[in-house]
């Protein structure tokens, strides 16, 4: 299993960042779970150079372009130099600021071109009785996968994060039963871009109020390969409990 801890902007002190990193290193030495930390950009520079552990780093966002006259942008080349292996792309909190499917697709291609593995977030804002949300999800996946080469499709990680389940508590997260339904649907859509069994090999994560009390049931038999916890990853004790609950 893969756990990508999305610190968002919850962590705003170096002391806390270092403590969380120390916890993640300890956990990765003791457990089989693969741990990735999606940290605010300044902490990549702080933590990653001293990293001698199995913990990998993800950026929370990536620029779609290369360097030059682009104030405020953080390019793939910069992230690469900071030891980044993965990047989140299209998190709903970025989409809410105006990121479109087209921009997400550009970022994904830019990440691949620089050997950074994109973790693409998709998910519906709400559910409607006519299940139009399935079409929205399909369109989000299509925008990303269609332009990619086969090898890039295979390496892209998908994080299904229904927006209505983000930032709540375990009791308001998606149920294991509904998650199973969604992973089947997502794999079926992926089958349009990847032949045969290779659609089953794309790593699929779930995010949205993953907490120590529900992570296990969301992992068992639902077809996901891991999780993208937000608030539960920004506290050392809770993050430890998450990783321990998974095994
Ligand atoms: P949450 O966030 O675990 O706080 O719901 C998940 C996410 O937005 O990635």
């Amino acid at each position: 299993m893969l756990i990508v801890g999305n610190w968002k902007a919850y962590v705003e002190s170096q002391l806390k960042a270092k403590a969380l990193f120390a916890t993640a290193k300890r956990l990765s030495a003791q457990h089989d779970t693969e741990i990735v930390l999606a940290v605010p950009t300044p902490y990549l520079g702080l933590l990653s150079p001293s990293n001698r552990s199995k913990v990998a780093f993800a950026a929370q966002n990536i620029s779609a372009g290369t360097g030059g006259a682009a104030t405020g942008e953080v390019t793939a080349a910069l992230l690469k130099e900071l030891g980044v292996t993965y990047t989140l792309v299209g998190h709903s909190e970025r989409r809410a600021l105006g990121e479109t499917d087209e921009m997400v697709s550009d970022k994904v291609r830019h990440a691949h071109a620089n050997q950074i593995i994109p973790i693409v977030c998709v998910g519906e804002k709400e559910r409607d009785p006519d299940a139009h949300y399935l079409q929205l999800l399909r369109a989000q996946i299509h925008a990303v996968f269609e332009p990619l080469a086969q090898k890039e499709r295979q390496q892209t990680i998908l994080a299904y994060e229904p927006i209505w389940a983000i930032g709540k508590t375990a009791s308001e997260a998606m149920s294991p039963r509904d998650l199973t339904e969604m992973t089947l649907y997502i794999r079926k859509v992926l089958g349009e871009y990847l032949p045969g069994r290779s659609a089953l090999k794309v790593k699929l994560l779930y995010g949205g109020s993953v907490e120590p009390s529900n992570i296990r049931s969301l992992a068992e038999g639902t077809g996901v390969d891991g999780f993208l916890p937000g608030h539960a990853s920004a506290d050392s004790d809770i993050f430890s409990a998450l990783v321990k609950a998974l095994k």
Side-chain angles (χ1 to χ4, degrees):
M1 283 266 163
L2 169 65
I3 290 198
V4 183
N6 179 10
W7 292 3
K8 305 192 180 189
Y10 287 123
V11 182
E12 294 181 284
S13 90
Q14 295 194 15
L15 209 63
K16 185 169 177 192
K18 285 180 181 168
L20 280 167
F21 181 38
T23 301
K25 283 195 280 193
R26 189 169 36 77
L27 290 165
S28 79
Q30 292 166 349
H31 302 272
D32 288 338
T33 305
E34 224 179 306
I35 298 176
V36 176
L37 300 179
V39 309
T41 315
Y43 294 146
L44 291 170
L46 176 76
L47 305 175
S48 154
S50 65
N51 188 15
R52 307 271 176 276
S53 74
K54 288 189 285 176
V55 175
F57 285 97
Q60 294 183 358
N61 186 23
I62 189 170
S63 166
T66 48
T71 305
E73 289 296 306
V74 180
T75 64
L78 277 171
L79 294 173
K80 200 79 209 154
E81 214 185 21
L82 290 176
V84 162
T85 311
Y86 304 89
T87 183
L88 302 185
V89 186
H91 189 279
S92 58
E93 285 149 19
R94 309 261 5 134
R95 291 183 191 256
L97 294 174
E99 202 162 283
T100 61
D101 279 344
E102 201 183 347
M103 288 157 81
V104 171
S105 164
D106 286 347
K107 289 180 174 196
V108 167
R109 282 183 290 134
H110 186 58
H112 277 303
N114 289 275
Q115 291 78 49
I116 293 177
I117 301 169
I119 302 170
V120 185
C121 304
V122 295
E124 74 280 3
K125 201 183 255 165
E126 58 199 4
R127 299 209 145 189
D128 57 297
D130 297 327
H132 288 307
Y133 64 89
L134 293 177
Q135 287 314 312
L136 175 128
L137 202 56
R138 192 176 172 280
Q140 287 181 334
I141 296 171
H142 173 80
V144 168
F145 277 78
E146 208 272 328
L148 297 181
Q150 282 300 109
K151 197 171 157 228
E152 293 169 337
R153 289 175 178 174
Q154 196 70 74
Q155 287 169 348
T156 300
I157 298 176
L158 212 49
Y160 171 56
E161 298 208 301
I163 300 171
W164 52 265
I166 291 178
K168 309 252 174 76
T169 59
S171 62
E172 294 161 289
M174 181 163 248
S175 70
R177 197 182 146 168
D178 286 351
L179 181 56
T180 309
E181 228 173 76
M182 292 312 291
T183 60
L184 285 171
Y185 176 72
I186 290 169
R187 299 255 183 234
K188 189 168 143 249
V189 174
L190 286 173
E192 295 173 29
Y193 308 98
L194 285 154
R197 296 187 63 78
S198 53
L200 301 176
K201 291 190 195 141
V202 170
K203 280 197 183 139
L204 182 55
L205 312 181
Y206 167 77
S209 300
V210 175
E211 293 186 342
S213 63
N214 64 351
I215 193 167
R216 183 114 190 218
S217 60
L218 288 168
E220 283 173 348
T222 55
V224 295
D225 302 293
F227 297 95
L228 181 55
H231 63 272
S233 74
D235 176 287
S236 283
D237 291 341
I238 301 178
F239 189 62
S240 296
L242 264 189
V243 175
K244 287 176 188 160
L246 245 195
K247 67 167 175 85

